[in-house]
Amino acid sequence: MKRKRVLIANRGEIAVRIIKACEESDLETILVVSEADQDSLPARLADKVVCIGPPQVTQSYLNIPMIMATAKATGADAIHPGYGFLAENPALPKACEDNGIVFIGPRSETMRALGGKISARKLAKECGVPINEGSEALGDVAEVEARAEEIGYPVLIKASAGGGGRGMRVVSEPKGLKNAFYMASSEAQTAFGDPTLFVERYIQNARHVEVQVLGDNFGRVVHLGERDCSSQRRHQKVVEEASPFGLPDKLTKGMSAAAVALAKGVNYNSAGTVEFLVDMDRHQFHFMEVNTRIQVEHPVTEEVTGVDLVREQIRLAFGHSLSLKQSDIHVRGHAIECRITAEDARNEFMPTPGRITRFVVPNGDHVRVDTHCYQGYVISPFYDSLIAKLIATGSDRKHALANLKAALAEFHIEGVRSNIPFLQYLIDRPEFATGEINVKWIETSVLPGFLEN
């Protein structure tokens, strides 16, 4: 019998991760690459490589017609989108559905319903999941002003589409509202092609916690615990860990139950992540969004549960039922992940593309490194600056943190600047050790101290 073939519509470390999961599942791999990635590590590892265009993402990794034509020409049975690029664009699963190709992710209608923050909030509310006080779609400044007065300042203006902090503005008082509205709307239109905005109460002391879920085509859903992603800069995650530290069990269990309720309510049939904002002053959690894909930070969940999320995601896409019951899933120990990037933290985190002349990766029983880089590899200016994900584990958070510090000290990268010195400073902060952090602590506390040194 012919082995099934999976086309990987992505690059970098996640492409390497998917290739390995496919090999372990006895699946052939077809990798699409741009001209800039023809000598990449994923290209060296895949069974077949097809160049689909120039480095510009609109002509390669975002080119759905070219990706679909390649899938059909190579006899691909399935497409895995990884994360980023087309991973949350419902046009790709729809194209797969129309062409009889398995999409390794949720159905297109599910992705579409959960992709807009306003429609996702509505679905969450229907499923009994707590949502933050806010509005529906708002068409003009007058509507925003009226709703902001009802909610009370400060408020957060947000784009309905997309993410990553784009199309988002905090407004502390009425006089700043009009300018924030127009700036957020323009940014959302440019970034996502959709200027739709809504407004919600701004939580000043918040933690960002997410729940990993898996669902199959038979109505079954399980969660694999929670991850804390509060260490972020400009809404971009920097350090993630499983499980959240210093939060009451009532809150974390409540979030996991809410995530399962929402996933069941929409018949979710893949790996996904339900994200929440925890109001630390009110001891409440509120639904934020659903990421309908594998997450960058999925390794910390894998390390504490022993579940290979990518392999499970592939199994589910090919129509298998969940291999796990909720009672089979146990969280053991602690895991912390740092995103190692080619960025100069002392220069506004400017990307530092170039050739890596030395690349020494830490190893050991309690260290995992997910990377696509190697000595001699060229960090391209065309793509994300992620070099590697460094994951350290331990019997508890204290031991995981000690292992992470040791691993960062052993990680040597030359030829390009990396954010390793910044990460070392961050995890050495006393408030990180005690868990007294929130989503703004890097910007308000860590960065000022780092830049003074």
Side-chain angles (χ1 to χ4, degrees):
M1 183 183 293
K2 180 179 80 73
R3 293 166 66 202
K4 290 188 180 296
R5 297 174 177 173
V6 175
L7 183 144
I8 301 164
N10 217 300
R11 64 177 304 279
E13 67 84 19
I14 190 60
V16 173
R17 176 75 181 84
I18 297 166
I19 289 168
K20 291 179 178 178
C22 287
E23 288 176 347
E24 292 168 358
S25 303
D26 195 30
L27 299 167
E28 288 187 24
T29 53
I30 304 159
L31 181 72
V32 295
V33 298
S34 72
E35 292 171 357
D37 281 333
Q38 293 184 85
D39 192 38
S40 66
L41 181 57
R44 297 179 181 185
L45 296 174
D47 294 313
K48 184 178 181 62
V49 179
V50 180
C51 182
I52 59 169
Q56 292 79 6
V57 294
T58 54
Q59 300 176 60
S60 53
Y61 295 109
L62 294 180
N63 189 336
I64 293 177
M66 181 60 74
I67 289 170
M68 294 306 302
T70 303
K72 288 189 283 186
T74 56
D77 299 283
I79 293 178
H80 198 307
Y83 56 70
F85 294 133
L86 295 171
E88 292 184 279
N89 185 336
L92 181 57
K94 183 65 168 65
C96 288
E97 292 158 9
D98 291 344
N99 286 277
I101 294 174
V102 172
F103 178 73
I104 302 178
R107 293 174 286 267
S108 60
E109 65 266 24
T110 304
M111 189 180 289
R112 190 172 291 107
L114 294 172
K117 292 183 176 63
I118 294 171
S119 58
R121 275 168 57 92
K122 182 179 179 182
L123 284 170
K125 188 175 182 181
E126 290 172 356
C127 294
V129 177
I131 62 172
N132 192 12
E133 185 179 1
S135 71
E136 299 296 321
L138 298 171
D140 55 40
V141 174
E143 288 183 337
V144 177
E145 288 174 336
R147 196 67 184 94
E149 285 296 329
E150 292 175 15
I151 295 170
Y153 289 90
V155 296
L156 183 63
I157 295 175
K158 297 175 73 173
S160 176
R166 289 170 292 181
M168 187 181 297
R169 292 291 186 280
V170 178
V171 184
S172 301
E173 52 188 0
K175 69 179 183 181
L177 194 67
K178 182 180 291 187
N179 186 51
F181 173 85
Y182 287 122
M183 288 181 66
S185 180
S186 175
E187 191 171 276
Q189 175 64 45
T190 300
F192 316 122
D194 182 357
T196 307
L197 303 175
F198 68 104
V199 65
E200 64 181 18
R201 180 175 64 87
Y202 178 63
I203 301 173
Q204 301 191 66
N205 182 19
R207 292 268 291 273
H208 183 160
V209 177
E210 59 189 31
V211 180
Q212 177 71 58
V213 296
L214 292 171
D216 63 20
N217 285 304
F218 307 97
R220 286 171 286 208
V221 175
V222 296
H223 73 82
L224 292 95
E226 310 84 26
R227 298 186 286 254
D228 192 300
C229 305
S230 301
S231 296
Q232 50 188 254
R233 172 184 169 270
R234 294 183 179 176
H235 308 286
Q236 299 290 326
K237 299 165 186 173
V238 178
V239 178
E240 305 99 352
E241 54 187 303
S243 297
F245 181 71
L247 291 178
D249 284 348
K250 182 179 179 181
L251 272 179
T252 53
K253 289 179 180 177
M255 282 183 275
S256 289
V260 169
L262 176 54
K264 284 185 175 180
V266 299
N267 296 314
Y268 197 82
N269 66 326
S270 184
T273 301
V274 185
E275 305 205 4
F276 298 93
L277 212 55
V278 179
D279 188 329
M280 297 299 290
D281 296 328
R282 299 189 182 187
H283 305 289
Q284 299 172 341
F285 67 86
H286 302 286
F287 168 79
M288 188 161 56
E289 62 184 354
V290 179
N291 283 304
T292 54
R293 53 172 168 78
I294 198 74
Q295 291 278 84
V296 177
E297 58 272 19
H298 76 272
V300 293
T301 296
E302 292 185 327
E303 292 300 315
V304 298
T305 63
V307 177
D308 187 320
L309 291 171
V310 180
R311 287 185 66 183
E312 194 68 22
Q313 184 188 29
I314 294 169
R315 287 186 68 262
L316 295 170
F318 279 110
H320 297 285
S321 62
L322 278 168
S323 63
L324 299 157
K325 302 188 296 291
Q326 192 65 60
S327 58
D328 296 326
I329 300 167
H330 304 282
V331 174
R332 295 184 175 90
H334 198 89
I336 310 175
E337 173 181 297
C338 284
R339 301 189 187 192
I340 312 292
T341 59
E343 294 176 336
D344 184 354
R346 296 192 181 277
N347 185 24
E348 289 291 314
F349 289 85
M350 288 291 292
T352 58
R355 186 177 298 277
I356 297 175
T357 57
R358 185 172 183 236
F359 194 65
V360 180
V361 175
N363 55 55
D365 292 339
H366 299 286
V367 176
R368 167 178 168 179
V369 179
D370 285 13
T371 185
H372 61 291
C373 294
Y374 52 86
Q375 191 162 303
Y377 179 76
V378 176
I379 304 291
S380 171
F382 293 103
Y383 309 116
D384 184 87
S385 59
L386 184 68
I387 294 175
K389 301 185 310 197
L390 172 62
I391 305 99
T393 59
S395 57
D396 55 26
R397 190 173 188 267
K398 180 181 178 181
H399 288 101
L401 185 54
N403 290 331
L404 180 61
K405 290 180 180 181
L408 280 170
E410 295 168 8
F411 209 137
H412 298 290
I413 301 169
E414 294 178 7
V416 299
R417 288 184 182 273
S418 80
N419 67 335
I420 288 177
F422 173 72
L423 292 169
Q424 290 174 309
Y425 180 83
L426 184 155
I427 66 171
D428 209 35
R429 298 280 296 188
E431 61 266 41
F432 186 77
T434 58
E436 298 176 86
I437 62 175
N438 60 30
V439 297
K440 301 297 290 183
W441 84 285
I442 284 183
E443 291 165 1
T444 60
S445 179
V446 182
L447 263 175
F450 175 76
L451 294 174
E452 287 176 3
N453 286 351

